Amino acid sequence: MADEIKYEYKTVRPVRGTDGWVISKMEKDGWELVQQAPGTLRSTVNFRRPKKPLPWLLIGAAAAVLVILAVVIGAASALSGGDEKKDESDKSTAAVSEKPSATPVPTAVESAATEVITPQSNPEFAALLKSDDCDDANVAFATRYAGKTVAFNGSIVNMVPHGDYDTRYDFLLGPGDKGPNTTVGPAFKYEDVNILDLKLTGKQIPATVGVGDKFRFVAEVGEFKPAQCLFFLDPVSTETR
């Protein structure tokens, strides 16, 4: 049937207690709740939404442009073939005449190795903290800055024991000061950590922590899992505020 609606589907596994938050954010993006099944630590929530029609005219035009570019590049390559040997000879002569610098210049990667990314120093991170927890920006940031260190003011959204442990926890963190009422930004997660792993600092270090507590989190960027809409971090330090 030409008018039959075609759907795309997504399954999300939020930490228990955050189901309503995740459902609300998904519905704002046009997803329809299909099924919700509670679990011991995480719930399974299924969504669907109508697929967007493919812009066939734009795809056809893009394909035509690519064909034309391929022909132009092929012709240019053939014309420049005669000068290739001369260019290589000139490059070899220049390479012999160059002398290595006595003082090595650090690369951009090396210079950024110890940089702590903050919303003030990195516009991309500032935008991420205001985006949706399932937004594609999470994937892009996690891929680009994997292993880097970020710092932001946030609060504990949820805290549950990890598996059968009594002193190890899974923490759900959010930017800002609203704790369990956080609705903006990624769902950052510390998984399988104890209180000592948080490396608490500050003027008044608490003996324990709980939902709603506000800190300045410094953490290493881990992976983002789209199926769960969870952005994993590894704690570096946790400063009271």
Side-chain angles (χ1 to χ4, degrees), residues 68-234:
I68 294 173
L69 284 175
V71 172
V72 172
I73 292 172
S77 177
L79 292 174
S80 63
D83 298 329
E84 185 175 341
K85 292 184 179 180
K86 181 180 178 181
D87 291 342
E88 290 179 353
S89 176
D90 292 342
K91 289 179 181 178
S92 298
T93 303
V96 171
S97 63
E98 290 178 354
K99 294 182 179 180
S101 173
T103 305
V105 179
T107 65
V109 174
E110 292 170 341
S111 299
T114 57
E115 177 188 0
V116 176
I117 298 170
T118 68
Q120 293 74 31
S121 67
N122 188 303
E124 191 174 351
F125 188 45
L128 177 73
L129 296 180
K130 297 178 181 179
S131 67
D132 185 88
D133 62 340
C134 292
D135 196 278
D136 290 341
N138 291 275
V139 178
F141 191 89
T143 302
R144 182 173 182 179
Y145 295 100
K148 301 294 184 181
T149 301
V150 296
F152 64 97
N153 289 341
S155 54
I156 298 178
V157 176
N158 196 18
M159 173 182 174
V160 296
H162 179 76
D164 297 328
Y165 290 100
D166 294 326
T167 58
R168 302 191 68 82
Y169 305 92
D170 291 338
F171 289 91
L172 190 64
L173 316 174
D177 301 337
K178 295 185 178 181
N181 297 318
T182 301
T183 57
V184 177
F188 293 122
K189 185 177 182 181
Y190 287 166
E191 186 173 62
D192 189 16
V193 298
N194 59 33
I195 302 302
L196 292 177
D197 292 331
L198 296 178
K199 299 180 178 64
L200 293 167
T201 64
K203 294 182 179 179
Q204 295 182 338
I205 300 177
T208 185
V209 299
V211 173
D213 288 351
K214 296 179 288 186
F215 297 98
R216 181 163 183 78
F217 298 104
V218 180
E220 183 179 306
V221 176
E223 66 176 322
F224 176 74
K225 295 186 177 180
Q228 302 173 21
C229 293
L230 289 176
F231 198 131
F232 286 79
L233 301 175
D234 292 319

